[in-house]
């Protein structure tokens, strides 16, 4: 379980994300759920940065779309991010996907969540 977030950072690892979902379900009423989701959120952001950096031509759109939707879901649940992960995602995302509608929608949702008055950023 501790090694799974690192595996999730690699793009196109849908089986690992299915396992992560199962673990999240098992932790549903646990005190560990928030910490687990934070680790998944970090892995998701790092995975997106890796995808954007390695495939600048948007050839993995379906993988990106599923990761972006997962990112949005995790952001809504956690409502806080590691500043370094966030900066890297925004910088790389805007550099390579500034025209991608899904990226921009998720970025907008993230900004609304993270930059409200009581936010940690």
């Amino acid at each position: 379980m501790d090694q799974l977030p690192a595996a999730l950072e690699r793009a196109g690892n849908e089986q690992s994300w299915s396992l992560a979902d199962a673990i999240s379900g098992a932790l549903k009423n646990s005190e560990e759920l928030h910490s687990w989701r934070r680790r998944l959120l970090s892995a998701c952001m790092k995975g997106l940065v890796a995808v954007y950096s390695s495939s600048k031509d948007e050839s993995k759109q379906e993988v990106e779309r599923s990761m972006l939707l997962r990112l949005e879901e995790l952001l809504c649940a956690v409502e806080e991010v590691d500043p370094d992960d966030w900066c890297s995602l925004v910088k790389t995302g805007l550099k390579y996907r500034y025209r991608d509608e899904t990226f921009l929608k998720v970025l907008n949702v993230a900004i609304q969540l993270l930059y409200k008055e009581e936010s940690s950023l």
Side-chain angles (χ1 to χ4, degrees), residues 20-99:
D21 290 340
I23 293 171
S24 296
L27 294 174
K28 191 164 189 147
N29 295 320
S30 168
E31 295 175 10
E32 296 178 39
L33 182 60
H34 186 74
S35 173
W36 174 248
R37 284 183 174 160
R38 283 189 64 157
R39 291 179 20 213
L40 291 180
L41 177 60
S42 178
C44 188
M45 288 192 290
K46 288 176 181 174
L48 280 165
V49 168
V51 169
Y52 294 157
S53 297
S54 68
S55 95
K56 300 169 177 86
D57 62 353
E58 301 181 37
S59 62
K60 297 182 178 180
Q61 278 189 324
E62 208 44 53
V63 171
E64 290 178 24
R65 191 172 323 287
S66 70
M67 288 181 74
L68 283 166
L69 296 176
R70 185 173 301 276
L71 175 70
E72 182 177 0
E73 176 185 318
L74 288 166
L75 277 169
C76 290
V78 176
E79 293 187 353
E80 58 184 307
V81 296
D82 177 78
D84 292 333
D85 291 343
W86 173 244
C87 181
S88 183
L89 175 68
V90 171
K91 180 180 176 182
T92 308
L94 288 174
K95 182 175 182 178
Y96 297 114
R97 299 297 186 268
Y98 64 93
R99 293 183 187 174

